[in-house]
Every structure is written in C-alpha cells, then in structure tokens.
Amino acid sequence: MSAALGSTGPRVAPARAAPLCRRALLLPAGRTRVVVRAEARRPDYIPNRIDDPNYVRIFDTTLRDGEQSPGATLTSKEKLDIARGLARLGVDIIEAGFPVASPDDFEAVRTIAMEVGNDVQPDGYVPVICGLSRTKFADLERAWDAVRHAKRPRVHTFIATSDIHMKYKLRMTPDEVVENAVAAVRHLRSLGCNDIEFSPEDAGRSDPQFLYRILGEVIKAGATTLNIPDTTGWNLPHEFGGLIAAIRKNTPGAENVIISTHCQNDLGLSTANSLAGAMAGARQIECTINGIGERAGNASLEEVVMAISLRGKDQMNGLYTGIRPVHIYPMSKMVSDYSGMIVQPHKAIVGANAFAHESGIHQDGMLKNRETYEIMTPESIGLPRQEQDRGIVLGKHSGRNALSSRLRSLGYELSTSELDDVFKRFKALADKKKGITDEDILALMSDELHQPKVIWELLDLQVVCGTMGMPTATVQMQGPDGIARIGVGVGTGPVDAAYKAIDSLVRVEAELVDYSVSSVTQGIEALAHTRVMIRPAGKMSDQGYSEHAALGTVQRQFSGSGANEDIVVASARAYISALNKMIGWMSVAQKVAPRTRSSSLAAGAAGVSMAGVSVASGASMDEAPGALTASAKQA
C-alpha cells in the first residue's frame, strides 16, 4: 500500500480553530506584515493518545542521536543547557540520551529528568524526558533509573527487524526477535514505566508482515508509542507514507497507540519522509536541531516544524505542533557551538544564507515587498534583521547597556557576570575593529559562554615565526590549581608551535582529527573562528570509549571552538576548549582524576600530516591572512 506525498492520506477530523498569537511588524515604506509568534494550546499529555487528532508531537533526539555524530560529544552542562533550550522551544519529548553508554551519560539524563523534567510551566507544559535502551534488562533498568525522576518519564527501547540486521547483526530468528521485544516491554512495565516507546530498527527495509506481527505483540505487552524508523534513509516519501498507513491499518491495536516517525537523511529525504508519515497518520515526529545525527543526519526539527506551521492548515489537513518558533535560531546556534557541527550556509531555515538576497532581481523584489522572495520572516524564528537595530551602531564607544540591548534582540538573556565577560571581549575587539556586527557578537558569545567547564585557561600567547627561523610559541596558562604556568613549543608553523606549548603544560595525550578556520565577517579586521576535533591518543588511546546505541563500543571525539581577531589565538582557544571537554568527560566517566601524560600530538601547521584538515579557500592554516576568504591577523 502507498500514499503519495501530495495525497490527503487517511481521513482526520477537520482542523480546529487554533487561536494564534500574532504581532504586526513595521517594515520599510510603512508596510506591515503578520508574523506567527506561538502555536495553539497543546492537548493534555496522555502517553498512548492525543485528544486533538490534528496535533503532532515533536520528539527531539538532539541529545541522543544528534550526539552520535562524530565529534559531537557534549558535556553534562552542555546537555542540560540544550535541554532547557528545548523546553523553551516547546518540544513534547526530549530524548536526553543513552544512559547505559557511560556514567556521564547516565548522570546527564538523570539531571535533565530531575530539573527540566519537573519544571512545570503555568500552562501545565512540561516535556517528557526519555532515555534510550536496548532490549537488555540491564539497559532497561539503567534507562528507567535515569528518567524515573521526571514528572513524565519515558523509556524508548528498540531491536532490529530487517532480514539483514537479524541475520548478520543480531544473529537471531524472527521468533527470537519478537520474544526479545515483548520481554523488554513487559520488563519496563514491571519496573513501573507506563510510557513505553518501541522501535523496530530498520523498519524501512523490513518485511511489512513481520512488522505488523511484532508491533501487535508489543502493543499487547504494553507499548504506548510505536516509532517507525527509516534507519538508513532508504525510503522515498510515497513509500514511507504508505508504510505508515499500512501499519495503522494492519497492526492489531494500532488505534490505541501513537505512531511515530524517525527518518534518516541518507538520500536527503528525511524531512519529506517525516511529513509524508504525518500526512499518513503518524502523530509524533522524531527530529534533531540542525538535522545532526548519524551519517547524513536526521530530519531537521526546524524544517519539519516550519513546514507544518506554514503549510499544515491548508495542505496537511490542519496539522499543527506546540513549538514556539521564535526560539529556533538561538537553539540552532547553541547546538552548533556545543556540538562543533557547523551549519551549512544554505541550510534551510537557519543557514547564514537562508534570508540573504544577492541577485539584483531578488533585491529589487525584496525592496518593494519582502513577500516576493520570503515565505517567512527571520524574526519568526528568532533572528532579528540588522536594519531594525534602531540606528544603534556598536563600536569602541558603546557601553554595557547598548551591548546588553543588542544581545537581548539576538535572543540572549545574560547574568551580570556573563555580561561582564562578554563586554570585556567586546571592548577588546572594538579597539581593533571599527564596526561590530551581529556576527561578531554571536562569535564572541559562542567563545565566552558556549564553552565547556574551564580546567585549563589561556592567559597569554606569543608566537615568533617567518622565514628566518623555527616558529616558536610561548603560552601562559592557568591550570585547575589556579597557578599560572608558562610553556614553550617549537613547531613547523605558528599553530603547531602553539599547540606544542599547550601540550607541554596540559600533558594529556590527544590526536588532532580535524581542524578548520573561517572568518566571521569580511575584511582584513574580521574575527577568525576556529574549530578542532580531538580524541585520546598514545598511552590514553584505550580511553574515552562508551556504548553506542547501534555500533556497540566506540571511542568518542571531542570538539572545541575559538574566536579571535588573531588566527593563532583562535586556534589555541579552540584546542584548549576541546582538551577541557575531553578531560572533563573522561574524569566523570572514570570517576577518577585524568591521567597526566606527555602528549605526542603533532598537528596544527602546514607540512604536518593530519587527518581531515580543512581551511577556508584551501589556504594553509599558517599562510598569510590574505589567503583566507576573509582575513584574520596572525601574531
């Protein structure tokens, strides 16, 4: 059976009159435009049913599937920050992690359940906190122990159902797989868990008849949500929509549970497949901020949500969500900063070019009426336009109040101490750069606030390099004991020398997996933004491992970012950020202080062999600043 993406799908109740909160935006030439600020009130939460048949639950798995992206390891603090942001965004379910993966993952999920999962809003909203688990009883118990503190706890368990997975990965017969799944659901029920999600992994390539059978059995055992994953991104929209419709029609008891979608993006169809599933009757969509996740990623939350917000009423039989879109852009920025996963410029909704217009024809149309080329406003997703900054130009004479006002317009509410830290960096930059743009401010925000817990801090850095001798770097750093120390390094380039000087003090062995540098804005005074990715190496190469939901035991990679008008300083800040994240994660995972070893890292400059080094415009990271797309000065 199949349902074309453009078809009406199964019959649903007519759309309810959804009260929307709107405001009028004053645009140039006196034009006004209505912008949706909030969706209709969400129905009361009941695990296995939704009283409004047009409501679609948003299940965010950024903290679980998204974190499985290489290098996207998050600290417990970062996970808590993201979970709080997701609650502000209004997601219905937060999949907070895979608790059995490591002690740090367990504590992170538990903390989110206790804090975010009990922060009930005046309208009664509080997100469901979910933990992922395999069907092993030890995993199930660990997951339940992590989430049970939430007001609305859920455990999500899964087992593969495609022939290739059962034969080669599980080495189990179909009967054994059914028995395993049923036992897992029953065990969760015995623990006291009444909100249970079950996923037949690789459902998109599974035998439909077997799917109907196993799904019917887990419903009888007590499952409340059936998640249908297109694990490899294999399905086309009409196929996946047809699969959802067929499951609803042929699975015994399907009318008593919620059908969910989880679509990977291997063919670039995750959003289309998710929407096709919703049009065919699925009432939960699993997605991630920025679409991050395994391989090519997951369905992008911002794409799914805005598609339903803009087209749900007229083209999807009245579907709507409870998401507050104005928080989309701040969340996208936070996840990008914390995960180290850069948002591609042409990414829908949140990319740097999403609301940029360079073509003369397009610009002419935009000047006459924005709706000629924009189907939504940037303000609707929390991204204010610079032209609406009320004439305030930030520079070296700007005060704390002007900076605070601009930060609020960009979606940031800072404490006094946080504002002090950002203001110091702002003034230092303003002394060297005439005009401070929003992009500069966002880069400073990322570099000051979106950083892991400080273990080692860069105080000063000086580099001597050129054609007359060996590049040499001297760094002054403050360690966990609060004592300032000085280290010296000699390398093949200024970045390599700086990294070796840092290694001489930190003494934690790491391998540089990836290095990239780009400019925040254009011009010779532009800020440089650097990202690095590292993993434990040398005598520490056997550390940093955790359980992966699908791949078993894997070694984690740790990302870091830094911003400065000096490329070498930005590179050093990024490297120290990654080291802090790695040391902090391993300290929690091992429940002991990190070992101190001499680093064997050799990376960071031209002429040094590294895995996956990329620099803007193909320039060496130690070339003259003019080689970059938009330059940043070296020391």
Side-chain angles (χ1 to χ4, degrees):
M1 298 180 64
S2 65
L5 181 59
S7 67
T8 58
R11 291 181 60 83
V12 296
R16 296 185 177 184
L20 297 176
C21 176
R22 300 174 182 266
R23 70 183 175 100
L25 289 177
L26 185 62
L27 297 178
R31 293 189 303 272
T32 59
R33 186 173 175 190
V34 173
V35 179
V36 176
R37 290 297 304 274
E39 297 289 349
R41 181 184 182 278
R42 73 187 75 228
D44 292 336
Y45 182 77
I46 302 170
N48 68 325
R49 79 169 196 265
I50 302 174
D51 288 337
D52 186 340
N54 294 325
Y55 185 78
V56 179
R57 289 174 178 167
I58 297 299
F59 178 113
D60 183 273
T61 183
T62 301
L63 295 173
R64 198 277 301 170
D65 201 326
E67 201 206 9
Q68 292 177 189
S69 304
T73 298
L74 303 169
T75 66
S76 295
K77 174 188 176 299
E78 291 168 343
K79 291 179 181 179
L80 183 59
D81 287 347
I82 291 174
R84 286 171 173 156
L86 291 172
R88 288 193 295 271
L89 186 61
V91 302
D92 299 275
I93 302 100
I94 299 174
E95 189 167 48
F98 185 40
V100 79
S102 70
D104 184 67
D105 285 88
F106 174 83
E107 287 300 328
V109 176
R110 184 172 179 271
T111 301
I112 291 170
M114 295 177 71
E115 296 193 22
V116 181
N118 284 284
D119 186 13
V120 182
Q121 300 302 303
D123 63 357
Y125 163 76
V126 62
V128 174
I129 306 300
C130 178
L132 183 71
S133 171
R134 294 169 296 195
T135 55
K136 298 178 180 179
F137 281 13
D139 286 21
L140 297 166
E141 292 161 6
R142 190 71 166 163
W144 173 242
D145 195 33
V147 302
R148 64 184 175 85
H149 306 281
K151 181 176 177 63
R152 294 172 178 166
R154 176 188 290 193
V155 174
H156 177 191
T157 187
F158 70 97
I159 192 169
T161 54
S162 65
D163 290 341
I164 191 170
H165 276 250
M166 289 190 289
K167 180 178 179 180
Y168 293 104
K169 186 180 79 171
L170 299 179
R171 297 181 180 178
M172 296 170 65
T173 66
D175 288 343
E176 290 172 330
V177 169
V178 172
E179 181 181 350
N180 204 279
V182 170
V185 174
R186 286 176 176 167
H187 188 62
L188 284 171
R189 281 286 185 178
S190 72
L191 296 174
C193 180
N194 297 316
D195 191 349
I196 301 169
E197 179 170 333
F198 173 76
S199 289
E201 186 185 9
D202 204 20
R205 297 190 297 173
S206 298
D207 176 13
Q209 297 300 322
F210 181 59
L211 283 179
Y212 309 151
R213 175 191 169 194
I214 191 171
L215 294 175
E217 292 298 323
V218 297
I219 290 173
K220 287 192 291 185
T224 53
T225 298
L226 302 181
N227 180 51
I228 310 304
D230 182 20
T231 304
T232 60
W234 175 252
N235 294 137
L236 299 180
H238 72 278
E239 288 181 294
F240 192 74
L243 176 62
I244 295 297
I247 287 172
R248 295 181 69 235
K249 179 179 180 180
N250 299 303
T251 300
E255 68 278 6
N256 299 318
V257 297
I258 304 298
I259 304 297
S260 171
T261 69
H262 181 111
C263 299
Q264 299 291 134
N265 202 39
D266 297 72
L267 292 177
L269 295 171
S270 57
T271 297
N273 285 343
S274 299
L275 297 176
M279 292 173 67
R283 288 299 176 263
Q284 176 179 288
I285 295 178
E286 302 199 355
C287 44
T288 63
I289 300 293
N290 298 335
I292 65 173
E294 293 276 10
R295 303 183 312 279
N298 288 280
S300 168
L301 180 146
E302 57 274 10
E303 293 174 12
V304 167
V305 165
M306 293 310 293
I308 293 176
S309 176
L310 295 172
R311 309 304 308 280
K313 180 179 179 181
D314 297 329
Q315 296 296 320
M316 301 181 193
N317 298 318
L319 297 185
Y320 71 101
T321 73
I323 296 297
R324 295 183 278 270
V326 73
H327 295 287
I328 284 177
Y329 184 78
M331 277 306 304
S332 170
K333 186 74 173 120
M334 178 188 290
V335 169
S336 177
D337 290 338
Y338 280 163
S339 68
M341 307 294 290
I342 300 174
V343 177
Q344 60 193 25
H346 56 281
K347 171 74 172 66
I349 315 298
V350 294
N353 295 343
F355 296 97
H357 306 272
E358 186 166 335
S359 164
I361 295 176
H362 286 217
Q363 290 175 344
D364 179 65
M366 286 291 294
L367 290 171
K368 294 173 179 174
N369 188 321
R370 293 198 181 282
E371 293 185 17
T372 54
Y373 288 103
E374 284 187 357
I375 60 173
M376 71 191 88
T377 67
E379 293 86 358
S380 68
I381 63 163
L383 178 61
R385 294 185 198 272
Q386 273 191 274
E387 69 180 29
Q388 295 176 352
D389 289 337
R390 302 180 185 276
I392 297 176
V393 178
L394 296 181
K396 67 178 183 178
H397 299 297
S398 299
R400 192 184 310 268
N401 187 48
L403 177 62
S404 177
S405 176
R406 181 65 59 83
L407 286 170
R408 283 195 299 272
S409 74
L410 293 173
Y412 292 99
E413 291 288 344
L414 305 187
S415 66
T416 301
S417 61
E418 290 173 335
L419 180 60
D420 288 342
D421 291 338
V422 175
F423 186 67
K424 290 176 184 177
R425 292 289 304 280
F426 165 77
K427 293 296 281 186
L429 176 62
D431 284 337
K432 302 175 182 178
K433 191 172 188 280
K434 290 183 179 179
I436 307 300
T437 68
D438 285 352
E439 288 78 10
D440 292 325
I441 295 173
L442 291 172
L444 291 179
M445 283 291 299
S446 301
D447 199 38
E448 282 296 327
L449 300 184
H450 292 171
Q451 293 290 344
K453 180 180 179 181
V454 175
I455 300 173
W456 286 91
E457 180 182 5
L458 179 67
L459 302 178
D460 291 297
L461 168 64
Q462 177 175 305
V463 176
V464 178
C465 63
T467 61
M468 303 294 290
M470 292 293 291
T472 305
T474 304
V475 298
Q476 184 179 36
M477 298 177 62
Q478 182 172 290
D481 55 6
I483 298 175
R485 295 176 172 83
I486 295 177
V488 178
V490 176
T492 56
V495 176
D496 184 40
Y499 282 12
K500 286 179 177 175
I502 293 168
D503 291 339
S504 71
L505 297 178
V506 178
R507 302 179 66 80
V508 173
E509 293 183 277
E511 175 190 353
L512 185 62
V513 178
D514 187 53
Y515 174 103
S516 64
V517 61
S518 60
S519 61
V520 175
T521 56
Q522 298 180 350
I524 193 67
E525 299 174 332
L527 275 176
H529 189 256
T530 306
R531 293 180 187 270
V532 302
M533 192 181 299
I534 64 174
R535 62 186 172 209
K539 294 179 180 179
M540 299 181 67
S541 60
D542 61 340
Q543 300 184 29
Y545 284 86
S546 64
E547 287 296 313
H548 186 286
L551 303 178
T553 304
V554 297
Q555 188 178 37
R556 297 212 177 194
Q557 297 178 349
F558 303 86
S559 64
S561 63
N564 196 273
E565 61 274 11
D566 186 307
I567 290 177
V568 183
V569 176
S571 300
R573 292 177 67 92
Y575 184 48
I576 293 169
S577 173
L579 286 172
N580 282 336
K581 184 179 288 189
M582 185 175 79
I583 293 169
W585 187 90
M586 293 174 65
S587 297
V588 174
Q590 299 169 7
K591 295 295 184 181
V592 295
R595 293 188 291 175
T596 56
R597 303 288 186 188
S598 175
S599 175
S600 61
L601 176 69
V608 180
S609 176
M610 293 183 294
V613 174
S614 59
V615 181
S617 297
S620 163
M621 67 182 80
D622 286 331
E623 284 182 17
L628 297 178
T629 303
S631 307
K633 294 177 289 184
Q634 294 204 32

